[in-house]
Amino acid sequence: MESNISDPVQSLSKAERRRERILQILMSGSTTLIRDLAEQLRVSLMTVHRDLYELEREGLVRRVRGAVSAEKSLLFESSYKYRTRNQVDEKRRLARAAVSRLEPGNAIMADDSSTVFHICDFLPEVTPLTVVTNAVPVLARLRGVPDIDLISTGGRYHQGYDGYFGAACDEAIGRYHVDVAILSTTTIQGMAIFTPDELVMRAKRAMMKSARRKFLLADASKFGFTALNYVADLTEFDLILLAGNVPEASLQRMRDGGANVELV
């Protein structure tokens, strides 16, 4: 049963779609002249400056002397608004596949990732469930859904990640023992997952420690770049669900290394 809640990408306004296009252009290179953006988008410089102001306010771009940059780094990975706009089809396939492995009566943990957020659309198919999460969007989406016992970890709110983190969050996670932890990652490097932020790393590690089974969801965009903080080896996950054009060499390395990988 599909949720009747509209897809966030489909509901974007004209200005939001234009800003999404700006982000796509910037992601293909390190720095772009603002006047070149105006030409590509066929809009005025004033319009582009307004768009860049909004994107800069969200922490997605940086303007310097008539140019703008937005590299795939902590600047992007720490913004929930940006992450929700990317690889939506792949994320929904991953979420559906993960939920299909759940059973009524399960207790699960859901991390703050925009990928795991999409499980909210499919969880009503396997209720009753208990859902423990530090992600504000998950709490908002599942609030009031029948037969879902919703538990917030609490902790210090982080605006960029739109979730709760820190010592109080980690301690709260440790008080529970759940059937499944469903997580995503910033990047997969070799046979391990990494994230730019130590706060996020600690929350994910706490969730993994509190779960009997651990699922990792990742689309093809998670390969090919680095992040600072090691989270876990791939072999610590009971199931790794991948979507998109995952590099064949990476896929083979994971399988040869003993990871339980499925493409969806």
Side-chain angles (χ1 to χ4, degrees):
M1 178 176 63
E2 290 279 354
S3 168
N4 60 5
I5 300 174
S6 62
D7 187 295
V9 173
Q10 293 176 350
S11 62
L12 292 177
S13 68
K14 182 177 179 181
E16 288 172 325
R17 288 195 298 271
R18 190 172 59 246
R19 291 166 196 159
E20 165 66 8
R21 177 57 183 152
I22 289 173
L23 289 174
Q24 291 174 349
I25 293 170
L26 296 178
M27 284 294 286
S28 65
S30 58
T31 303
T32 301
L33 293 176
I34 294 175
R35 66 170 180 269
D36 290 344
L37 279 178
E39 291 179 4
Q40 290 188 59
L41 297 170
R42 297 182 181 180
V43 295
S44 68
L45 274 172
M46 183 178 296
T47 296
V48 171
H49 276 291
R50 282 199 300 265
D51 290 336
L52 292 177
Y53 170 79
E54 291 299 326
L55 293 172
E56 192 171 40
R57 192 168 60 86
E58 293 180 22
L60 299 176
V61 304
R62 179 166 47 196
R63 289 183 291 178
V64 181
R65 297 178 183 175
V68 59
S69 64
E71 300 183 11
K72 198 169 185 73
S73 64
L74 178 59
L75 183 68
F76 274 112
E77 297 305 327
S78 64
S79 171
Y80 189 87
K81 289 184 178 180
Y82 173 76
R83 289 182 284 146
T84 57
R85 297 168 178 168
N86 283 314
Q87 288 77 42
V88 174
D89 290 341
E90 290 90 340
K91 290 174 180 178
R92 288 184 62 79
R93 292 204 306 272
L94 290 164
R96 182 190 289 276
V99 171
S100 73
R101 270 74 172 185
L102 302 179
E103 298 177 357
N106 278 168
I108 70 170
M109 282 189 177
D111 74 1
D112 69 296
S113 65
S114 60
T115 301
V116 173
F117 168 75
H118 288 283
I119 68 173
C120 297
D121 287 342
F122 308 109
L123 290 179
E125 300 173 9
V126 289
T127 54
L129 292 169
T130 297
V131 179
V132 183
T133 186
N134 65 331
V136 171
V138 173
L139 292 167
R141 178 66 68 91
L142 295 181
R143 183 179 57 199
V145 174
D147 297 319
I148 291 184
D149 185 15
L150 187 59
I151 299 173
S152 170
T153 64
R156 184 179 294 276
Y157 177 71
H158 190 296
Q159 184 173 357
Y161 298 121
D162 203 5
Y164 298 107
F165 297 90
C169 171
D170 300 342
E171 182 179 348
I173 292 170
R175 296 194 188 108
Y176 299 101
H177 182 69
V178 300
D179 297 290
V180 181
I182 305 177
L183 294 83
S184 188
T185 182
T186 300
T187 182
I188 296 176
Q189 300 168 222
M191 286 294 295
I193 63 172
F194 291 78
T195 188
D197 199 308
E198 185 178 355
L199 285 173
V200 177
M201 177 271 288
R202 290 179 176 176
K204 290 181 188 292
R205 287 298 306 173
M207 288 185 175
M208 294 179 68
K209 186 176 180 179
S210 296
R212 183 168 59 86
R213 292 188 295 157
K214 295 162 277 290
F215 296 171
L216 178 68
L217 317 184
D219 62 71
S221 71
K222 306 302 183 181
F223 296 84
F225 64 100
T226 62
L228 179 63
N229 294 282
Y230 165 85
V231 179
D233 288 345
L234 294 177
T235 51
E236 294 183 54
F237 291 91
D238 298 275
L239 176 64
I240 300 170
L241 296 170
L242 303 176
N245 297 318
V246 178
E248 186 60 37
S250 298
L251 188 59
Q252 191 61 49
R253 182 187 304 114
M254 295 164 70
R255 286 173 170 161
D256 289 345
N260 181 22
V261 179
E262 292 185 22
L263 289 172
V264 302

